Amino acid sequence: MANPSVGTERVVTPPKARSLAEITVLTQAERFKGRPKLCSDCGICGGELRPLMAAACVFVQNRHEQIERKLHGRNRNDGDELLFGINRAIHITRLRQINYEAQWSGIVTRLGALLLEQGLVDGVIATKAAPGTLWAPLPFVARTPAEVLASAGNKPCLSPTLEVLAEVRASGLKRIAFIGMGCQVHALRAIEAELGLEKLYVIGLPCTDNTSYPDLLRFLNIVSKSPKTVVHHEFMQDFRVWLRHQDGHLEKMNYVDLDVSALGGERGIFPAACLSCFDYQNGLADLTIGYLGAPLPPEQRWQWMLVRTERGQEMFDLIKPLLELGERNEAGNRRVGVRAYVGMLRRPRKRPIAPIRKFVAWMQRNKGTKGFEFARAVIEMKLLRNLVFVRDQFPKHEARIVPHYVYRALAYTAEAYQAAFERSLAP
Ligand SMILES: Cc1cc2nc3c(=O)[nH]c(=O)nc-3n(C[C@H](O)[C@H](O)[C@H](O)COP(=O)(O)OP(=O)(O)OC[C@H]3O[C@@H](n4cnc5c(N)ncnc54)[C@H](O)[C@@H]3O)c2cc1C
Ligand code: SF4
Ligand code: SF4
């Protein structure tokens, strides 16, 4: 047997690096071991890009507004841009031929496939399901349209997507498209110049309250009567979670009925990073494609698309012949409710009893905000909740990780904030 010692020094075999398929199913504790307290496992620190962490990480230094100036020559204007990010157009749209296997109508995967079909890129960084799972995200470089199309549907958990940039570099690909979340796009933009790419198309997904795969399974266990047969789910704009099962039947649960305390509260299920995130709408992408401001009913699969840059416009023009355009809508007034929410953040209430929950759910569905006003309300509440979280848990980080547009967007709640927290909303 070979002697493992050389002189007096023991040769230590480095621990075997975990594959992405192994990482993606880990618990938060396993995944964040040895990482800074704020980490969304965007993929930078798992491999050879780790030396770029300080320059890339949105939780080390939020460079959103600096990158905005580079992309657009300016920062956000007052009004909707403060919430939705800089954009040249917002379209309500869906694929004419809806892909019912996709999360919504399938625009994202169709666009990725088109970029490959037209020879505009040589690879698309997308996220499929890890083997043996339906929901654990496994990022990869798709080289054919069929591979992108097969990645349709959300794998709604933290994904170390940027780790596959190592594969891109190794294979010498120079023209790529990237599909991913805001924290990943921030890191990608921050190190874009170091990557030696000739062309980069960034397709952004909106994102909030992400979690690890085991925590997603815990969530499905409390929200569904049959968690193992759920094949699709979404937090809908009608204040309900919709879950579709293998046999096609739909299960719906009111937001107000969710027993978040069974999951250890929001802080028990969402990583600290996601509670310190201020980029729901993926403002640094070329194009953001989501559903938040789109009209209902969900069966019609309307989405909203925010065209941000010239490259975003190029992608919109490319896919336009395959799209049907719809009408934007909005109703209600979010401001009273958002101001009241500030007080609830200061003094969280217990889950109300069932008859009150039933009434609240009815009011939300029938009298609540709709369309763009619903989107504004949701984004503002996440900004407020996350600002309160950072001030409570990471006060020293505030100046580095909260971008200025947050205070501008929330300025109208300043009085309510002062009354509830006895301090100024402004930094
Ligand atoms: C974790 C998560 C949270 C989201 N939250 C919101 C939200 O709060 N509001 C909103 O408006 N929209 C949200 N979205 C986006 C929305 O649900 C749809 O993905 C989007 O509208 C595109 O739909 P589609 O039918 O065009 O996509 P599809 O054609 O079905 O393509 C989906 C694409 O998502 C990519 N993907 C899947 N899982 C991940 C992952 N974990 N990380 C990175 N990429 C992934 C795949 O590569 C695929 O290309 C979220 C998406 C994800 C993955
Ligand atoms: S979020 Fe990304 S860059 Fe920041 S610490 Fe985690 S893996 Fe590294
Ligand atoms: S909520 Fe923010 S930090 Fe968390 S995965 Fe989504 S974009 Fe990243």
Side-chain angles (χ1 to χ4, degrees), residues 336-349 384 388 413 416-421:
V336 178
V338 174
R339 284 197 192 96
Y341 179 68
V342 178
M344 283 160 60
L345 285 170
R346 179 72 180 88
R347 274 173 280 279
R349 292 184 201 147
L384 272 166
V388 168
T413 67
Y417 193 95
Q418 177 73 46
F421 289 94

Side-chain angles (χ1 to χ4, degrees), residues 92-110:
I92 297 300
T93 185
R94 62 182 176 190
L95 280 184
R96 285 180 192 284
Q97 277 196 313
I98 292 172
N99 172 4
Y100 288 97
E101 299 302 310
Q103 187 65 21
W104 282 80
S105 78
I107 300 176
V108 168
T109 36
R110 195 71 203 90

Side-chain angles (χ1 to χ4, degrees), residues 35-36 38-45 53 57 59:
R35 289 280 172 81
L38 291 177
C39 173
S40 59
D41 201 7
C42 71
I44 289 285
C45 293
M53 182 263 221
C57 186
F59 304 111

